[in-house]
Amino acid sequence: LANSYADNLGCNKSQLYLCLVSMPEHAHVCKASLHQNESMMQIRNVIALLRNTTPKHFRKGEVLIPAGTTNKDLFFIRKGLVRSYYWDNDKLEEMTFQLYPEYNVVVNNHSFLFDEPSSFTYKAYEQTKVYMIGYGSMIDLASNNPEL
């Protein structure tokens, strides 16, 4: 059965398995799609997205995006926690802006979309596994998969 679904999606069985296993938060979408022909496009989109991501591990304290730099990557947190913060010159201390738990996306919008330096530092608050995708890949994906 899995082979026939994989064939219908233009992928192999292991890619289908990767979709269901590596991103369990989408498994319900994938499984529902397998039972509904009209929803088959959803699993195609998930597989297309997975093909364009790069897994990466960050150790606790390792920086994903340093303040003052331009970053063109989007990070999906599979496991772990990321903290964004800025330096307050008046208080002379780091000020937490936001915490990003598992199954959230980390991206500095100004940097990603407008090539502006990030005002925040994004740092792994604990051992963290992410899936990264670059701006160029996102544009290509959206161009070739308008339903995304």
Side-chain angles (χ1 to χ4, degrees):
L1 185 62
N3 282 331
S4 66
Y5 285 124
D7 288 342
N8 288 336
L9 295 169
C11 66
N12 63 41
K13 187 176 172 182
S14 54
Q15 288 168 324
L16 180 65
Y17 179 75
L18 177 66
C19 166
L20 295 171
V21 171
S22 68
M23 297 181 80
E25 65 283 359
H26 292 297
H28 67 284
V29 173
C30 295
K31 288 174 186 171
S33 295
L34 294 176
H35 298 293
Q36 300 173 10
N37 261 347
E38 65 275 2
S39 298
M40 200 58 94
M41 195 62 70
Q42 291 175 349
I43 194 166
R44 281 193 190 113
N45 291 339
V46 171
I47 290 171
L49 188 60
L50 282 172
R51 284 182 180 154
N52 286 278
T53 61
T54 304
K56 185 166 182 181
H57 290 85
F58 291 92
R59 293 181 310 277
K60 180 179 179 177
E62 194 172 352
V63 173
L64 285 73
I65 305 171
T69 64
T70 301
N71 185 281
K72 300 299 275 181
D73 291 318
L74 180 142
F75 304 87
F76 174 80
I77 302 172
R78 175 63 184 87
K79 184 161 180 58
L81 181 67
V82 173
R83 172 184 173 236
S84 66
Y85 63 90
Y86 64 94
W87 182 257
D88 187 317
N89 287 324
D90 295 331
K91 296 182 180 180
L92 298 176
E93 65 182 356
E94 295 175 352
M95 302 297 291
T96 297
F97 178 70
Q98 191 167 351
L99 294 174
Y100 300 87
E102 295 173 356
Y103 309 116
N104 278 269
V105 172
V106 172
V107 64
N108 183 281
N109 292 327
H110 292 285
S111 189
F112 190 77
L113 298 172
F114 307 114
D115 275 335
E116 296 176 3
S118 174
S119 300
F120 304 98
T121 296
Y122 296 79
K123 186 184 283 187
Y125 204 64
E126 62 187 34
Q127 187 83 3
T128 300
K129 178 182 180 179
V130 301
Y131 290 97
M132 297 172 34
I133 187 165
Y135 179 80
S137 294
M138 287 291 288
I139 294 299
D140 290 346
L141 247 162
S143 297
N144 295 323
N145 302 281
E147 53 287 331
L148 279 175

